[in-house]
Amino acid sequence: TEWFSARAPPVLSLCTELAACMGDCIRFRQSGVQVACLRFVVDVLNLGSGFLASSRAPADDVARRQLALLRTFADDVTSRCRAKGLGADALASLQRARLQSEGAILADVCDVALASAGEARAERLTADGGAWHRGGQDNWAAGLLGDAAPHAGGLA
């Protein structure tokens, strides 16, 4: 698809980092693999330059608008609290609450995207003869993960 190009960031950087972590299969670095995967997720969800920032999916547009509204509100509340002389602990609590709220919005985007991708893939597999099992092997996960097509659910 348009966003899933192995020759463009963040997929290229993920592949490069994973290759370095795998070594020759003797020097496998689990922590390096985890860091690479987490960095990939952050790069995808980055509102400034990630896929979410340029996605045309309706769910992603809603999430961008919710996040912009939340940030405007949080900035206003923080300004008012500073002006009233609230302590650093209270301001830190506000910041944590804002980050948790942003995380919840992004989690919703991911849930919608995964559900939509799973439904789309299930429909294609069903149309393909209901081939959830081929050759006696369960292809459910491979079927879901093999779908990189854009969808209306988000992260398109």
Side-chain angles (χ1 to χ4, degrees), residues 109-123:
V109 169
C110 292
D111 287 346
V112 169
L114 289 174
S116 178
E119 289 169 11
R121 184 64 177 163
E123 287 172 12

Side-chain angles (χ1 to χ4, degrees), residues 1 14 25 38 42 59 67 73-74 82-83 110 114 125-126 129 134 142-143 155:
T1 68
L14 172 66
C25 294
L38 287 172
V42 169
L67 287 164
F73 175 73
R82 275 196 187 111
C110 292
L114 289 174
L125 287 174
T126 302
R134 293 189 187 167
L155 292 177

Side-chain angles (χ1 to χ4, degrees), residues 14 37 40 43 48 54 59 76 106 123 127 129 151-152:
L14 172 66
C37 292
F40 176 75
D43 288 345
S54 60
D76 181 53
L106 292 175
E123 287 172 12
H151 45 82

Side-chain angles (χ1 to χ4, degrees), residues 1-4 51-52 54-58 60 113 148-156:
T1 68
E2 148 189 344
W3 73 266
F4 191 81
F51 294 132
L52 188 59
S54 60
S55 171
R56 289 171 274 161
D60 295 344
H151 45 82
L155 292 177

